[in-house]
Protein backbone atom coordinates (compact mmCIF):
# COMPACT_ATOMS: atom_id res chain seq x y z
CA UNK A 1 0.00 0.00 0.00
CA UNK A 2 1.33 3.45 -0.87
CA UNK A 3 -0.23 6.88 -0.75
CA UNK A 4 -0.13 8.65 -4.07
CA UNK A 5 -1.41 11.94 -5.31
CA UNK A 6 -3.51 11.56 -8.42
CA UNK A 7 -3.04 14.60 -10.62
CA UNK A 8 -4.62 15.99 -13.76
CA UNK A 9 -2.74 14.49 -16.68
CA UNK A 10 -1.96 16.25 -19.92
CA UNK A 11 -5.41 16.98 -21.30
CA UNK A 12 -4.32 18.88 -24.32
CA UNK A 13 -5.06 22.54 -24.82
CA UNK A 14 -7.27 22.92 -21.81
CA UNK A 15 -6.44 25.29 -19.01
CA UNK A 16 -8.50 26.31 -16.01
CA UNK A 17 -11.15 23.69 -16.66
CA UNK A 18 -13.91 23.43 -14.06
CA UNK A 19 -14.64 20.31 -12.07
CA UNK A 20 -18.33 19.64 -12.78
CA UNK A 21 -18.75 16.15 -11.38
CA UNK A 22 -17.09 14.26 -8.55
CA UNK A 23 -17.48 10.60 -9.38
CA UNK A 24 -15.88 9.09 -6.27
CA UNK A 25 -16.10 9.62 -2.52
CA UNK A 26 -13.58 9.49 0.30
CA UNK A 27 -13.25 5.91 1.49
CA UNK A 28 -14.40 4.51 -1.84
CA UNK A 29 -12.42 1.67 -3.40
CA UNK A 30 -11.69 2.51 -7.03
CA UNK A 31 -10.45 0.40 -9.87
CA UNK A 32 -7.68 1.38 -12.23
CA UNK A 33 -9.19 3.45 -15.06
CA UNK A 34 -12.33 4.24 -13.10
CA UNK A 35 -13.38 7.83 -13.74
CA UNK A 36 -12.66 10.14 -10.83
CA UNK A 37 -13.95 13.53 -11.87
CA UNK A 38 -15.49 15.19 -14.90
CA UNK A 39 -13.98 18.48 -15.97
CA UNK A 40 -15.46 20.85 -18.47
CA UNK A 41 -14.12 23.67 -20.56
CA UNK A 42 -16.30 25.92 -22.67
CA UNK A 43 -15.92 23.44 -25.52
CA UNK A 44 -15.81 20.00 -24.03
CA UNK A 45 -16.17 17.88 -20.98
CA UNK A 46 -14.03 14.88 -20.13
CA UNK A 47 -13.62 12.35 -17.40
CA UNK A 48 -10.29 11.83 -15.74
CA UNK A 49 -9.64 8.18 -14.92
CA UNK A 50 -7.53 6.78 -12.12
CA UNK A 51 -4.18 5.28 -12.90
CA UNK A 52 -4.27 2.82 -10.01
CA UNK A 53 -6.62 0.71 -8.03
CA UNK A 54 -6.89 1.74 -4.41
CA UNK A 55 -8.90 3.54 -1.78
CA UNK A 56 -9.62 7.26 -1.97
CA UNK A 57 -8.26 8.81 1.21
CA UNK A 58 -8.83 12.53 0.49
CA UNK A 59 -10.43 14.62 -2.20
CA UNK A 60 -8.36 17.65 -3.05
CA UNK A 61 -10.87 19.30 -5.37
CA UNK A 62 -14.45 20.41 -4.98
CA UNK A 63 -17.19 21.05 -7.51
CA UNK A 64 -16.52 24.23 -9.43
CA UNK A 65 -12.76 24.25 -8.75
CA UNK A 66 -10.64 25.16 -11.73
CA UNK A 67 -7.87 22.70 -12.49
CA UNK A 68 -4.90 22.48 -14.83
CA UNK A 69 -2.41 19.88 -15.81
CA UNK A 70 -0.67 18.68 -12.65
CA UNK A 71 -3.41 19.82 -10.23
CA UNK A 72 -3.86 17.26 -7.48
CA UNK A 73 -7.30 15.66 -7.64
CA UNK A 74 -7.12 13.27 -4.73
CA UNK A 75 -4.95 11.17 -2.48
CA UNK A 76 -5.14 7.49 -3.08
CA UNK A 77 -3.93 4.59 -1.01
CA UNK A 78 -2.81 2.58 -3.98
CA UNK A 79 -3.04 -1.17 -4.03
CA UNK A 80 -0.72 -3.58 -5.77
CA UNK A 81 2.97 -3.56 -6.49
CA UNK A 82 3.94 0.08 -6.42
CA UNK A 83 7.43 1.31 -5.77
CA UNK A 84 6.85 3.79 -2.98
CA UNK A 85 9.34 6.30 -4.34
CA UNK A 86 7.74 6.28 -7.75
CA UNK A 87 4.32 6.16 -6.23
CA UNK A 88 4.84 9.36 -4.31
CA UNK A 89 5.11 11.21 -7.58
CA UNK A 90 2.59 9.16 -9.45
CA UNK A 91 0.39 10.85 -11.97
CA UNK A 92 -2.11 8.87 -13.95
CA UNK A 93 -1.31 8.06 -17.49
CA UNK A 94 -3.43 10.02 -19.92
CA UNK A 95 -6.76 8.64 -20.82
CA UNK A 96 -8.49 9.76 -23.94
CA UNK A 97 -10.81 12.67 -23.31
CA UNK A 98 -13.81 10.61 -22.60
CA UNK A 99 -16.68 12.78 -23.49
CA UNK A 100 -17.41 15.82 -25.50
CA UNK A 101 -20.52 17.77 -24.89
CA UNK A 102 -22.00 20.45 -27.09
CA UNK A 103 -19.53 19.98 -29.87
CA UNK A 104 -19.85 17.61 -32.78
CA UNK A 105 -18.57 14.12 -32.17
CA UNK A 106 -16.05 14.57 -34.90
CA UNK A 107 -14.43 17.37 -32.93
CA UNK A 108 -13.43 14.98 -30.16
CA UNK A 109 -9.72 14.25 -30.14
CA UNK A 110 -9.30 10.89 -31.77
CA UNK A 111 -8.29 8.14 -29.38
CA UNK A 112 -5.09 7.55 -31.28
CA UNK A 113 -4.09 11.18 -30.89
CA UNK A 114 -4.94 11.18 -27.25
CA UNK A 115 -2.91 8.07 -26.66
CA UNK A 116 0.09 9.73 -28.28
CA UNK A 117 -0.02 12.78 -26.06
CA UNK A 118 2.67 12.93 -23.44
CA UNK A 119 1.16 11.03 -20.64
CA UNK A 120 2.05 13.23 -17.71
CA UNK A 121 4.43 15.90 -16.49
CA UNK A 122 6.26 13.25 -14.52
CA UNK A 123 6.63 9.74 -15.78
CA UNK A 124 3.99 7.36 -14.62
CA UNK A 125 5.33 4.50 -12.57
CA UNK A 126 6.05 1.45 -14.60
CA UNK A 127 3.34 -0.35 -12.71
CA UNK A 128 0.70 2.24 -13.65
CA UNK A 129 -2.31 0.16 -14.57
CA UNK A 130 -3.68 2.83 -16.90
CA UNK A 131 -0.69 2.34 -19.15
CA UNK A 132 -1.12 -1.40 -19.25
CA UNK A 133 -3.57 -2.81 -21.74
CA UNK A 134 -6.75 -3.85 -20.03
CA UNK A 135 -8.24 -6.94 -21.59
CA UNK A 136 -11.72 -6.10 -22.77
CA UNK A 137 -14.31 -8.28 -21.12
CA UNK A 138 -16.85 -9.41 -23.64
CA UNK A 139 -19.59 -9.44 -21.03
CA UNK A 140 -19.19 -5.91 -19.72
CA UNK A 141 -18.75 -2.97 -22.08
CA UNK A 142 -15.88 -0.77 -21.00
CA UNK A 143 -17.41 2.52 -19.86
CA UNK A 144 -17.42 4.77 -16.84
CA UNK A 145 -20.32 4.74 -14.39
CA UNK A 146 -21.54 8.11 -15.58
CA UNK A 147 -21.53 6.95 -19.20
CA UNK A 148 -23.38 3.80 -18.15
CA UNK A 149 -25.92 5.90 -16.29
CA UNK A 150 -26.37 8.19 -19.29
CA UNK A 151 -26.84 5.19 -21.60
CA UNK A 152 -29.36 3.68 -19.20
CA UNK A 153 -31.34 6.93 -19.14
CA UNK A 154 -31.48 7.01 -22.92
CA UNK A 155 -32.21 3.31 -23.21
CA UNK A 156 -29.05 2.83 -25.27
CA UNK A 157 -27.76 -0.77 -25.11
CA UNK A 158 -24.08 -0.22 -24.25
CA UNK A 159 -23.07 -3.65 -25.54
CA UNK A 160 -23.97 -2.44 -29.04
CA UNK A 161 -21.98 0.79 -28.90
CA UNK A 162 -18.42 0.82 -30.25
CA UNK A 163 -16.01 2.63 -28.00
CA UNK A 164 -13.77 5.28 -29.51
CA UNK A 165 -11.90 5.94 -26.29
CA UNK A 166 -8.63 4.53 -25.14
CA UNK A 167 -8.64 0.72 -25.28
CA UNK A 168 -12.12 0.75 -26.74
CA UNK A 169 -13.60 2.70 -23.83
CA UNK A 170 -17.15 3.84 -24.61
CA UNK A 171 -17.42 7.57 -24.19
CA UNK A 172 -20.40 9.82 -23.65
CA UNK A 173 -19.94 11.03 -27.23
CA UNK A 174 -20.16 7.42 -28.47
CA UNK A 175 -23.47 6.98 -26.67
CA UNK A 176 -24.74 10.29 -28.05
CA UNK A 177 -23.67 9.36 -31.57
CA UNK A 178 -25.32 5.94 -31.28
CA UNK A 179 -28.54 7.48 -30.00
CA UNK A 180 -28.49 10.11 -32.75
CA UNK A 181 -27.97 7.46 -35.42
CA UNK A 182 -30.90 5.41 -34.08
CA UNK A 183 -33.10 8.51 -33.90
CA UNK A 184 -32.18 9.42 -37.47
CA UNK A 185 -33.00 5.90 -38.59
CA UNK A 186 -29.40 5.31 -39.69
CA UNK A 187 -28.95 2.51 -37.18
CA UNK A 188 -31.08 0.05 -35.21
CA UNK A 189 -30.54 -1.58 -31.89
CA UNK A 190 -30.54 -5.37 -32.01
CA UNK A 191 -33.89 -5.36 -30.21
CA UNK A 192 -35.27 -2.84 -32.69
CA UNK A 193 -34.05 -4.91 -35.62
CA UNK A 194 -35.52 -8.08 -34.18
CA UNK A 195 -38.81 -6.34 -33.59
CA UNK A 196 -38.84 -4.85 -37.08
CA UNK A 197 -38.06 -8.25 -38.53
CA UNK A 198 -40.70 -9.85 -36.30
CA UNK A 199 -43.33 -7.31 -37.24
CA UNK A 200 -42.51 -7.59 -40.91
CA UNK A 201 -41.73 -3.88 -40.96
CA UNK A 202 -38.16 -4.36 -42.03
CA UNK A 203 -35.20 -6.27 -40.72
CA UNK A 204 -31.79 -7.12 -42.03
CA UNK A 205 -29.01 -4.60 -41.89
CA UNK A 206 -28.27 -2.16 -39.11
CA UNK A 207 -27.77 0.76 -41.44
CA UNK A 208 -31.42 1.72 -41.60
CA UNK A 209 -31.24 1.27 -45.34
CA UNK A 210 -33.82 -1.50 -45.09
CA UNK A 211 -36.35 1.20 -44.30
CA UNK A 212 -35.40 2.89 -47.53
CA UNK A 213 -34.79 6.17 -45.77
CA UNK A 214 -32.58 8.86 -47.17
CA UNK A 215 -30.14 10.41 -44.65
CA UNK A 216 -31.40 13.01 -42.21
CA UNK A 217 -30.93 16.49 -43.76
CA UNK A 218 -27.89 18.34 -42.49
CA UNK A 219 -28.43 22.07 -42.57
CA UNK A 220 -26.16 24.81 -41.32
CA UNK A 221 -29.01 26.87 -39.88
CA UNK A 222 -26.66 29.67 -38.86
CA UNK A 223 -26.19 30.41 -42.53
CA UNK A 224 -29.78 31.56 -42.71
CA UNK A 225 -30.06 33.58 -39.51
CA UNK A 226 -29.21 33.74 -35.82
CA UNK A 227 -29.72 30.51 -33.89
CA UNK A 228 -29.51 29.25 -30.34
CA UNK A 229 -28.61 25.67 -29.41
CA UNK A 230 -30.55 24.18 -26.49
CA UNK A 231 -29.66 20.72 -25.28
CA UNK A 232 -32.67 18.49 -24.63
CA UNK A 233 -33.34 17.69 -20.98
CA UNK A 234 -33.10 14.17 -19.60
CA UNK A 235 -36.85 13.46 -19.65
CA UNK A 236 -37.19 14.75 -23.21
CA UNK A 237 -34.34 12.53 -24.36
CA UNK A 238 -35.92 9.48 -22.77
CA UNK A 239 -39.37 10.28 -24.20
CA UNK A 240 -37.88 11.00 -27.61
CA UNK A 241 -36.30 7.55 -27.84
CA UNK A 242 -39.52 5.87 -26.69
CA UNK A 243 -41.79 7.94 -28.94
CA UNK A 244 -39.65 7.29 -31.99
CA UNK A 245 -39.65 3.54 -31.38
CA UNK A 246 -43.41 3.52 -30.83
CA UNK A 247 -44.12 5.70 -33.86
CA UNK A 248 -41.92 3.62 -36.14
CA UNK A 249 -42.80 0.17 -34.92
CA UNK A 250 -46.54 0.34 -34.37
CA UNK A 251 -48.86 0.40 -37.38
CA UNK A 252 -51.10 2.93 -35.68
CA UNK A 253 -54.41 4.34 -36.84
CA UNK A 254 -56.44 7.08 -35.15
CA UNK A 255 -60.25 7.28 -35.06
CA UNK A 256 -61.81 10.60 -34.15
CA UNK A 257 -65.23 10.96 -32.60
CA UNK A 258 -67.29 13.29 -30.41
CA UNK A 259 -69.00 12.41 -27.15
CA UNK A 260 -71.97 14.36 -25.90
CA UNK A 261 -71.05 15.28 -22.32
CA UNK A 262 -73.72 17.93 -21.74
CA UNK A 263 -75.32 16.09 -18.81
CA UNK A 264 -72.03 14.73 -17.48
CA UNK A 265 -70.53 18.22 -17.37
CA UNK A 266 -73.55 19.49 -15.42
CA UNK A 267 -73.10 16.57 -13.00
CA UNK A 268 -69.36 17.32 -12.72
CA UNK A 269 -70.01 20.98 -11.89
CA UNK A 270 -72.65 19.98 -9.32
CA UNK A 271 -70.29 17.40 -7.78
CA UNK A 272 -67.56 19.97 -7.44
CA UNK A 273 -69.98 22.38 -5.81
CA UNK A 274 -71.03 19.68 -3.34
CA UNK A 275 -67.43 18.85 -2.48
CA UNK A 276 -66.14 22.40 -2.53
CA UNK A 277 -65.03 22.25 1.11
CA UNK A 278 -63.37 18.84 0.89
CA UNK A 279 -60.67 20.08 -1.45
CA UNK A 280 -61.40 17.41 -4.06
CA UNK A 281 -61.76 18.78 -7.57
CA UNK A 282 -63.21 16.54 -10.22
CA UNK A 283 -62.20 17.16 -13.84
CA UNK A 284 -63.53 15.41 -16.93
CA UNK A 285 -60.40 13.25 -16.96
CA UNK A 286 -61.48 11.38 -13.81
CA UNK A 287 -64.80 10.48 -15.48
CA UNK A 288 -62.92 9.50 -18.61
CA UNK A 289 -60.70 7.11 -16.67
CA UNK A 290 -63.75 5.42 -15.22
CA UNK A 291 -65.52 5.38 -18.60
CA UNK A 292 -62.45 3.93 -20.30
CA UNK A 293 -62.28 1.10 -17.76
CA UNK A 294 -65.88 0.20 -18.69
CA UNK A 295 -65.01 0.30 -22.41
CA UNK A 296 -61.83 -1.74 -21.84
CA UNK A 297 -63.84 -4.36 -20.00
CA UNK A 298 -66.27 -4.57 -22.90
CA UNK A 299 -63.43 -4.67 -25.47
CA UNK A 300 -60.62 -6.55 -23.65
CA UNK A 301 -58.25 -6.54 -26.63
CA UNK A 302 -57.70 -2.82 -25.97
CA UNK A 303 -56.34 -3.78 -22.53
CA UNK A 304 -53.67 -6.08 -23.89
CA UNK A 305 -50.09 -6.30 -25.13
CA UNK A 306 -48.55 -8.21 -28.01
CA UNK A 307 -46.12 -10.96 -27.10
CA UNK A 308 -44.78 -12.41 -30.34
CA UNK A 309 -47.74 -14.18 -31.91
CA UNK A 310 -49.82 -14.07 -28.72
CA UNK A 311 -51.90 -11.44 -27.05
CA UNK A 312 -51.56 -10.94 -23.31
CA UNK A 313 -54.96 -9.73 -22.15
CA UNK A 314 -54.75 -8.12 -18.73
CA UNK A 315 -57.38 -8.61 -16.09
CA UNK A 316 -56.39 -5.49 -14.25
CA UNK A 317 -57.03 -1.91 -15.28
CA UNK A 318 -54.19 0.53 -14.61
CA UNK A 319 -54.68 3.76 -16.53
CA UNK A 320 -51.73 5.97 -17.45
CA UNK A 321 -52.37 9.66 -18.04
CA UNK A 322 -50.00 12.03 -19.80
CA UNK A 323 -48.94 14.93 -17.61
CA UNK A 324 -47.30 18.05 -18.94
CA UNK A 325 -44.42 19.00 -16.62
CA UNK A 326 -41.70 21.65 -16.79
CA UNK A 327 -39.25 18.85 -17.60
CA UNK A 328 -41.35 17.29 -20.33
CA UNK A 329 -44.01 14.66 -20.70
CA UNK A 330 -44.48 12.12 -17.88
CA UNK A 331 -47.05 9.34 -17.65
CA UNK A 332 -48.09 8.52 -14.07
CA UNK A 333 -50.25 5.44 -13.69
CA UNK A 334 -53.47 5.28 -11.74
CA UNK A 335 -53.58 1.72 -10.48
CA UNK A 336 -56.72 -0.44 -10.18
CA UNK A 337 -58.97 2.26 -11.60
CA UNK A 338 -61.79 -0.32 -11.78
CA UNK A 339 -61.87 -0.50 -7.98
CA UNK A 340 -62.07 3.26 -7.40
CA UNK A 341 -64.78 5.87 -7.54
CA UNK A 342 -64.46 9.13 -9.45
CA UNK A 343 -63.68 11.14 -6.28
CA UNK A 344 -60.91 8.73 -5.28
CA UNK A 345 -59.55 8.80 -8.84
CA UNK A 346 -59.57 12.63 -8.77
CA UNK A 347 -57.64 12.69 -5.50
CA UNK A 348 -55.00 10.21 -6.65
CA UNK A 349 -54.70 11.88 -10.05
CA UNK A 350 -54.05 15.26 -8.43
CA UNK A 351 -51.36 13.71 -6.20
CA UNK A 352 -49.70 11.91 -9.10
CA UNK A 353 -49.83 15.01 -11.34
CA UNK A 354 -48.22 17.10 -8.59
CA UNK A 355 -45.49 14.51 -8.08
CA UNK A 356 -44.92 14.48 -11.85
CA UNK A 357 -44.56 18.27 -11.96
CA UNK A 358 -42.20 18.19 -8.94
CA UNK A 359 -40.11 15.45 -10.59
CA UNK A 360 -40.88 13.12 -7.67
CA UNK A 361 -42.63 10.20 -9.38
CA UNK A 362 -41.15 6.84 -8.51
CA UNK A 363 -40.58 4.27 -11.27
CA UNK A 364 -43.37 2.18 -9.73
CA UNK A 365 -45.77 5.10 -10.15
CA UNK A 366 -44.95 5.23 -13.85
CA UNK A 367 -45.20 1.55 -14.66
CA UNK A 368 -47.81 -1.09 -15.24
CA UNK A 369 -50.26 0.92 -17.35
CA UNK A 370 -52.64 -1.10 -19.49
CA UNK A 371 -54.08 1.88 -21.40
CA UNK A 372 -53.23 5.59 -21.51
CA UNK A 373 -55.24 8.78 -21.79
CA UNK A 374 -53.66 11.99 -23.02
CA UNK A 375 -55.90 14.94 -22.20
CA UNK A 376 -55.33 18.35 -23.71
CA UNK A 377 -58.80 19.35 -22.55
CA UNK A 378 -57.50 22.00 -20.17
CA UNK A 379 -55.51 23.61 -22.96
CA UNK A 380 -57.47 23.48 -26.20
CA UNK A 381 -57.48 22.10 -29.70
CA UNK A 382 -59.97 19.81 -31.42
CA UNK A 383 -58.33 16.49 -32.31
CA UNK A 384 -54.82 15.06 -32.40
CA UNK A 385 -53.10 11.75 -33.05
CA UNK A 386 -51.51 10.48 -29.83
CA UNK A 387 -48.68 7.96 -30.06
CA UNK A 388 -49.29 4.60 -28.37
CA UNK A 389 -47.30 4.01 -25.21
CA UNK A 390 -45.79 0.58 -25.95
CA UNK A 391 -46.34 -2.17 -25.01
CA UNK A 392 -49.92 -0.96 -24.71
CA UNK A 393 -52.04 -1.27 -27.84
CA UNK A 394 -54.21 1.86 -27.66
CA UNK A 395 -54.29 5.38 -26.32
CA UNK A 396 -57.11 7.89 -26.04
CA UNK A 397 -56.47 11.55 -26.84
CA UNK A 398 -58.99 14.08 -25.55
CA UNK A 399 -59.35 17.75 -26.43
CA UNK A 400 -61.37 20.65 -25.14
CA UNK A 401 -65.12 20.23 -25.05
CA UNK A 402 -67.05 22.74 -27.07
CA UNK A 403 -70.70 23.77 -27.21
CA UNK A 404 -71.87 22.84 -30.72
CA UNK A 405 -75.13 22.78 -32.66
CA UNK A 406 -76.35 19.20 -32.95
CA UNK A 407 -79.28 18.15 -35.13
CA UNK A 408 -81.79 16.16 -33.05
CA UNK A 409 -84.05 15.27 -35.98
CA UNK A 410 -86.11 18.39 -35.70
CA UNK A 411 -83.81 21.21 -34.80
CA UNK A 412 -80.25 22.13 -33.97
CA UNK A 413 -79.76 22.05 -30.23
CA UNK A 414 -76.72 23.24 -28.27
CA UNK A 415 -74.77 20.26 -26.89
CA UNK A 416 -71.38 20.08 -25.21
CA UNK A 417 -69.18 17.81 -27.32
CA UNK A 418 -65.94 16.24 -26.19
CA UNK A 419 -63.51 15.44 -29.03
CA UNK A 420 -62.01 11.95 -28.72
CA UNK A 421 -59.04 10.61 -30.69
CA UNK A 422 -58.38 6.91 -30.24
CA UNK A 423 -55.09 5.61 -31.62
CA UNK A 424 -54.84 1.81 -31.88
CA UNK A 425 -52.36 -0.82 -32.97
CA UNK A 426 -53.63 -2.34 -36.21
CA UNK A 427 -51.81 -5.60 -35.49
CA UNK A 428 -54.18 -6.16 -32.60
CA UNK A 429 -57.27 -4.09 -33.28
CA UNK A 430 -59.17 -3.33 -36.45
CA UNK A 431 -61.10 -0.27 -37.52
CA UNK A 432 -64.51 -1.73 -36.74
CA UNK A 433 -63.51 -2.56 -33.15
CA UNK A 434 -62.03 0.92 -32.72
CA UNK A 435 -65.22 2.56 -34.01
CA UNK A 436 -67.25 0.40 -31.60
CA UNK A 437 -64.95 1.27 -28.70
CA UNK A 438 -65.38 5.00 -29.39
CA UNK A 439 -69.13 4.66 -29.86
CA UNK A 440 -69.46 2.75 -26.56
CA UNK A 441 -67.26 5.28 -24.76
CA UNK A 442 -69.48 8.02 -26.18
CA UNK A 443 -72.59 6.25 -24.88
CA UNK A 444 -71.13 5.98 -21.40
CA UNK A 445 -70.07 9.62 -21.35
CA UNK A 446 -73.52 10.65 -22.61
CA UNK A 447 -75.19 8.66 -19.83
CA UNK A 448 -72.78 7.73 -17.07
CA UNK A 449 -75.29 5.34 -15.46
CA UNK A 450 -74.15 2.82 -18.08
CA UNK A 451 -70.94 2.36 -16.09
CA UNK A 452 -73.05 0.40 -13.63
CA UNK A 453 -74.36 -2.02 -16.22
N1 LIG B 1 -62.79 20.21 -21.94
C1 LIG B 1 -62.95 21.42 -21.38
N2 LIG B 1 -62.32 21.76 -20.24
C2 LIG B 1 -61.53 20.85 -19.67
C3 LIG B 1 -61.33 19.57 -20.22
C4 LIG B 1 -62.01 19.26 -21.41
N3 LIG B 1 -61.86 18.09 -22.01
N4 LIG B 1 -60.47 18.90 -19.44
C5 LIG B 1 -60.14 19.70 -18.45
N5 LIG B 1 -60.78 20.88 -18.58
C6 LIG B 1 -60.69 22.03 -17.70
C7 LIG B 1 -60.76 21.60 -16.26
O1 LIG B 1 -62.09 21.41 -15.84
C8 LIG B 1 -60.09 22.75 -15.59
O2 LIG B 1 -60.98 23.83 -15.56
P1 LIG B 1 -61.02 24.88 -14.32
O3 LIG B 1 -59.63 25.42 -14.21
O4 LIG B 1 -62.04 25.88 -14.74
O5 LIG B 1 -61.42 24.10 -13.15
C9 LIG B 1 -58.99 23.13 -16.58
O6 LIG B 1 -59.41 22.62 -17.84
C10 LIG B 1 -57.62 22.59 -16.26
O7 LIG B 1 -57.69 21.20 -16.07
P2 LIG B 1 -56.36 20.42 -15.68
O8 LIG B 1 -55.51 20.28 -16.86
O9 LIG B 1 -55.75 21.08 -14.50
O10 LIG B 1 -56.88 19.02 -15.14
P3 LIG B 1 -57.10 17.66 -15.90
O11 LIG B 1 -57.55 16.72 -14.86
O12 LIG B 1 -57.97 17.83 -17.07
O13 LIG B 1 -55.65 17.22 -16.40
C11 LIG B 1 -53.35 16.71 -16.32
C12 LIG B 1 -54.61 16.91 -15.51
C13 LIG B 1 -52.21 16.40 -15.38
C14 LIG B 1 -53.52 15.53 -17.25
C15 LIG B 1 -53.10 17.98 -17.17
O14 LIG B 1 -52.83 19.06 -16.32
C16 LIG B 1 -52.02 17.86 -18.17
O15 LIG B 1 -50.83 17.85 -17.85
N6 LIG B 1 -52.41 17.78 -19.45
C17 LIG B 1 -51.49 17.75 -20.58
C18 LIG B 1 -51.31 16.34 -21.10
C19 LIG B 1 -50.44 16.36 -22.33
O16 LIG B 1 -49.47 17.09 -22.42
N7 LIG B 1 -50.81 15.55 -23.31
C20 LIG B 1 -50.15 15.56 -24.56
C21 LIG B 1 -49.32 14.36 -24.67
S1 LIG B 1 -48.68 14.21 -26.26
O17 LIG B 1 -47.48 15.26 -26.22
Amino acid sequence: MAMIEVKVPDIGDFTDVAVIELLVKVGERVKAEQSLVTVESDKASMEIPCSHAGVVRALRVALGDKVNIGSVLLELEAEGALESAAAAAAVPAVAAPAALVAVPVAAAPAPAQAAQQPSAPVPAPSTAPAAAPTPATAALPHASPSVRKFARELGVPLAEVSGSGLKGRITLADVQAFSRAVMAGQQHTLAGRAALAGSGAGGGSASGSELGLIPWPKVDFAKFGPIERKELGRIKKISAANLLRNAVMIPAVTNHDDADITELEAFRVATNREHEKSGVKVTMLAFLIKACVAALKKFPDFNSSLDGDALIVKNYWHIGFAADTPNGLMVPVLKNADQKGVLQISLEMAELAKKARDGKLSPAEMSGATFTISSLGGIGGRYFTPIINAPEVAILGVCKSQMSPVWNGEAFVPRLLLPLSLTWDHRVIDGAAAARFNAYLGQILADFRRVLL
Side-chain angles (χ1 to χ4, degrees), residues 73-116:
L73 295 174
L74 53 82
E75 287 172 26
L76 186 84
E77 194 174 316
E79 292 170 351
L82 248 191
E83 294 297 327
S84 55
V91 172
V94 167
L100 282 180
V101 174
V103 289
V105 176
Q113 278 174 329
Q116 283 158 15

Side-chain angles (χ1 to χ4, degrees), residues 402-417:
Q402 194 167 300
M403 199 53 91
S404 313
V406 175
W407 184 253
N408 69 0
E410 291 171 1
F412 280 105
V413 288
R415 304 296 296 176
L416 188 64
L417 299 187

Side-chain angles (χ1 to χ4, degrees), residues 216-404:
W216 194 258
K218 279 194 179 149
V219 178
D220 179 5
F221 302 107
K223 272 197 342 208
F224 301 100
I227 58 164
E228 182 193 352
R229 187 181 167 90
K230 284 166 70 180
E231 294 303 322
L232 290 180
R234 193 176 70 87
I235 306 281
K236 286 220 160 145
K237 282 187 204 154
I238 297 170
S239 336
N242 279 292
L243 289 166
L244 178 68
R245 179 200 56 208
N246 301 346
V248 167
M249 289 180 57
I250 302 174
V253 184
T254 306
N255 281 36
H256 303 290
D257 211 337
D258 289 320
D260 185 335
I261 57 163
T262 316
E263 271 81 35
L264 186 58
E265 174 63 5
F267 178 61
R268 185 188 76 84
V269 171
T271 307
N272 276 340
R273 222 177 284 129
E274 252 173 59
H275 292 85
E276 213 164 11
K277 292 199 180 110
S278 72
V280 188
K281 184 181 156 195
V282 179
T283 61
M284 196 45 71
L285 187 51
F287 286 105
L288 274 162
I289 289 179
K290 205 67 199 161
C292 280
V293 170
L296 293 169
K297 284 190 171 179
K298 187 163 174 77
F299 301 97
D301 285 0
F302 286 76
N303 202 52
S304 74
S305 287
L306 259 183
D307 182 20
D309 290 337
L311 204 56
I312 310 292
V313 180
K314 294 152 212 170
N315 290 323
Y316 54 88
W317 293 268
H318 299 340
I319 311 297
F321 62 95
D324 184 31
T325 81
N327 296 323
L329 185 66
M330 316 270 311
V331 185
V333 180
L334 200 134
K335 303 271 165 56
N336 300 312
D338 57 310
Q339 297 163 26
K340 292 169 185 165
V342 168
L343 292 178
Q344 178 68 20
I345 289 176
S346 300
L347 265 178
E348 289 188 22
M349 222 171 59
E351 276 168 22
L352 287 168
K354 181 171 184 322
K355 275 193 180 176
R357 282 191 288 271
D358 296 345
K360 291 195 174 139
L361 281 177
S362 68
E365 288 167 323
M366 289 187 282
S367 51
T370 57
F371 181 83
T372 295
I373 303 179
S374 176
S375 172
L376 294 172
I379 304 168
R382 294 296 285 154
Y383 304 94
F384 68 115
T385 53
I387 293 174
I388 294 169
N389 196 11
E392 294 154 41
V393 296
I395 181 169
L396 180 73
V398 183
C399 283
K400 199 177 181 69
S401 56
Q402 194 167 300
M403 199 53 91
S404 313

